[in-house]
């Protein structure tokens, strides 16, 4: 990797501002890294190299003219579930191949308005359903730390691109863990904001009450920068909140004196990898050394998160995915008649996991079952939310593992959907409660695979998460290690 592609986004911004480097040089360095590593990693579905170089040249001119926008000339990658005007957006699905949005998602538009250079669209589990990126119709993404292993999912392409130095940062989406889990498995930082903090407009919907776009980066400071640009009210998304956006970067720094950190008993379970527990407990001790007070807490409804999520998310997905009928978007298998065309398009266009979710969701919502499944799941979701509300009366932030295990091998979980769903046990609760979660690298297992610590804060307290994660990174070096990639 070139020196530039190992640097943090924040350091690159400084060098761009000091005129030490140009955006064109920087963009070339990333495109070279992509050329070198993409054949073995496959983090991207679409590359936008030409456009990136043109954007970079324009950014350099703008800077020369005095433009100081917050991301001017910074090369980023975006998950292929976020609409990009004029650039194919497939969601990792056959059914959307050839679909070119006529508008950009608000989150993407804000990054563009801030001056980003778009390198390309990243690979993902089809419609963001999965935990390994093995459900992509465009082939798997490989983990840069070990190419026999999955990068996690569903934002596996975004996580792998950052870990392999193929982007200075990337945007993912998290419905039940899809930013935090791949960040943990690829040794990068991943932030799922509070529900309603970043607009969902133009994000292709999976679970509308859960979906959150957010950054994957090398450092917490970098995540703070990207969140600051993307966050804020959007009149085009009725669930986006008007809560003011603080200056997240300015809020970083200082020790953790007086911070109360809750460690939930229910997040250290039988069957989790011992090395994950050891590393996360050591990271929590580090927080103590930085001044935090550590408190054991109980989150008694944690166990229900998995069944509740796997009712609510598929139910919402089954409704959201009804629009893919071969008439309006993407690919069509034309059989003459309308019903035949619908059936053939959906039959051939969707992969197995997406079909499974549509069937589960349709069943859970059908007359006679609605109260027993969807209605009950909503009630239990309220109890899970209540666990967080009670916890946050006693503590400022919760610390836990992001995942029960490090990156697994391709095929290990594909035969058993439940086994795959279990990868998300620690990320689902925060998603259901709508609160923000941050995964920071906190160690490696004996096979050299990264481990992530998850920090969770009350809704709209991303500032607390970021300050805690940043203090941890100032005191540790896990995030400075880079995957050694063979050329
Ligand atoms: N892995 C979870 C699922 O398959 C979460 C996915 C996500 O957050 N998009 O639904």
């Amino acid at each position: 990797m070139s020196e530039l592609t190992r640097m943090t986004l924040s350091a690159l911004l400084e060098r761009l501002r000091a005129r030490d480097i140009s955006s064109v040089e920087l963009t070339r360095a990333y495109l070279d890294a992509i050329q070198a590593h993409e054949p073995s990693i496959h983090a991207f579905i679409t590359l936008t190299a030409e456009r990136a170089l043109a954007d970079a040249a324009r950014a350099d001119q703008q800077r020369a003219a005095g433009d100081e926008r917050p991301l001017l000339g910074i090369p980023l990658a975006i998950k292929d579930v976020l609409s990009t005007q004029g650039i194919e957006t497939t969601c990792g699905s056959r059914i959307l191949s050839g679909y070119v949005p006529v508008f950009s998602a608000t989150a993407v538009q804000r990054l563009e308005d801030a001056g980003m250079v778009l390198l390309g669209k990243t690979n993902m589990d089809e419609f963001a359903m999965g935990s390994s990126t093995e459900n992509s119709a465009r082939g798997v993404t490989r983990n840069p730390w070990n190419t026999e292993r999955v990068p996690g999912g569903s934002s596996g392409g975004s996580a792998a691109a950052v870990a392999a130095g193929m982007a200075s940062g990337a945007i993912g989406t998290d419905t039940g863990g899809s930013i935090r889990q791949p960040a943990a498995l690829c040794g990068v930082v991943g932030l799922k904001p509070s529900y309603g903090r970043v607009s969902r407009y133009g994000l292709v919907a999976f679970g509308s009450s859960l979906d959150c776009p957010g950054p994957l980066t090398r450092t917490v400071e970098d995540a703070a920068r990207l969140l600051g640009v993307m966050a804020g009210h959007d009149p085009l998304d009725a669930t986006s909140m008007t809560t003011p956006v603080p200056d997240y970067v300015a809020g970083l720094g200082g020790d953790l004196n007086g911070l109360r950190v809750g460690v939930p008993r229910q997040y250290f379970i039988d069957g989790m990898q011992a090395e994950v527990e050891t590393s996360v407990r050591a990271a929590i001790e580090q927080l103590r050394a930085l001044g935090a007070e550590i408190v054991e807490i109980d989150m008694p409804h944690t166990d229900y998160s998995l069944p509740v999520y796997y009712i609510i998310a598929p139910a919402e997905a089954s409704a959201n995915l009804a629009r893919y009928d071969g008439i309006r978007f993407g690919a069509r298998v034309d059989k003459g008649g309308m019903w035949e065309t619908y059936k053939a398009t959906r039959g051939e266009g969707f992969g197995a996991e997406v079909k499974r979710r549509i069937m589960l969701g349709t069943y859970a919502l059908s007359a006679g079952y609605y109260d027993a499944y969807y209605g009950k799941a909503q009630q239990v979701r309220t109890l899970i939310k209540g666990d967080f509300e009670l916890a946050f009366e006693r503590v400022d932030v919760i610390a836990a593992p992001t995942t029960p295990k490090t990156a697994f091998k391709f095929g290990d979980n594909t035969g058993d959907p439940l086994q795959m769903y279990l990868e998300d046990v620690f990320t689902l609760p925060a998603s259901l409660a709508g609160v923000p979660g941050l995964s920071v690298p906190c160690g490696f297992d004996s096979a050299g695979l990264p481990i992530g610590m998850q920090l969770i804060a009350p809704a709209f307290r991303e500032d607390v998460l970021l300050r805690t994660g940043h203090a941890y990174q100032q005191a540790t070096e896990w995030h400075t290690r880079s995957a050694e990639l063979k050329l």
Side-chain angles (χ1 to χ4, degrees), residues 192-217:
K192 179 201 99 74
S194 314
Y195 181 76
R197 179 74 297 184
V198 176
S199 169
R200 290 181 297 112
Y201 181 71
L203 157 61
V204 176
F206 162 14
S208 300
S209 74
L210 297 154
D211 296 341
C212 298
L216 293 106
T217 51

Side-chain angles (χ1 to χ4, degrees), residues 128-131 154 174-178 206 309-310 357 424:
M129 298 173 193
S131 307
S154 65
D174 192 312
T175 303
S178 281
F206 162 14
Y309 174 86
Y310 278 99
R357 305 270 180 122
D424 305 321

Side-chain angles (χ1 to χ4, degrees), residues 37-303:
H37 305 309
E38 183 58 1
S40 55
I41 304 296
H42 186 47
F44 289 89
I45 289 181
T46 303
L47 284 168
T48 51
E50 251 174 60
R51 179 192 153 124
L53 285 169
D55 285 353
R58 194 175 47 235
D60 286 334
Q61 284 167 6
Q62 287 166 330
R63 191 173 291 284
D67 191 338
E68 290 288 340
R69 279 177 294 155
L71 297 176
L72 188 61
I74 290 289
L76 297 177
I78 305 233
K79 185 178 182 182
D80 209 26
V81 71
L82 286 149
S83 304
T84 41
Q85 184 178 16
I87 301 167
E88 191 186 24
T89 299
T90 69
C91 297
S93 181
R94 262 190 302 277
I95 211 163
L96 279 181
S97 67
Y99 168 57
V100 179
V102 293
F103 67 103
S104 286
T106 299
V108 173
Q109 192 59 51
R110 289 189 177 172
L111 294 166
E112 263 176 24
D113 292 346
M116 83 156 163
V117 168
L118 176 65
L119 293 166
K121 304 290 297 290
T122 56
N123 197 17
M124 55 183 283
D125 286 299
E126 185 175 8
F127 285 105
M129 298 173 193
S131 307
S132 65
T133 317
E134 288 165 291
N135 294 338
S136 170
R138 303 302 188 98
V140 300
T141 295
R142 294 177 180 277
N143 190 316
W145 294 91
N146 179 339
T147 52
E148 314 273 284
R149 306 268 172 164
V150 304
S154 65
S155 311
S158 289
V162 175
M166 299 197 284
S168 73
I171 306 307
T173 58
D174 192 312
T175 303
S178 281
I179 290 175
R180 291 161 287 161
Q181 187 258 17
L185 269 44
C186 287
V188 300
V189 170
L191 172 63
K192 179 201 99 74
S194 314
Y195 181 76
R197 179 74 297 184
V198 176
S199 169
R200 290 181 297 112
Y201 181 71
L203 157 61
V204 176
F206 162 14
S208 300
S209 74
L210 297 154
D211 296 341
C212 298
L216 293 106
T217 51
R218 294 178 81 96
T219 66
V220 172
E221 181 184 353
D222 291 354
R225 279 180 205 284
L226 294 182
L227 179 67
V229 167
M230 288 190 292
H233 179 245
D234 175 13
L236 299 171
D237 171 4
T239 59
S240 90
M241 298 289 281
T242 52
T243 316
V245 180
D247 184 336
Y248 294 115
V249 179
L252 302 178
D255 58 27
L256 300 180
N257 276 333
L259 186 83
R260 294 164 307 167
V261 177
V263 181
R265 259 181 279 273
Q266 288 79 1
Y267 281 67
F268 295 88
I269 52 171
D270 284 348
M272 73 185 286
Q273 192 177 329
E275 292 162 307
V276 171
E277 170 157 7
T278 310
S279 291
V280 171
R281 292 220 186 261
I284 292 168
E285 281 312 307
Q286 182 69 58
L287 298 179
R288 193 200 299 275
L290 289 164
E293 181 196 336
I294 310 298
V295 186
E296 269 225 13
I297 57 169
D298 268 308
M299 312 274 295
H301 300 97
T302 302
D303 271 0

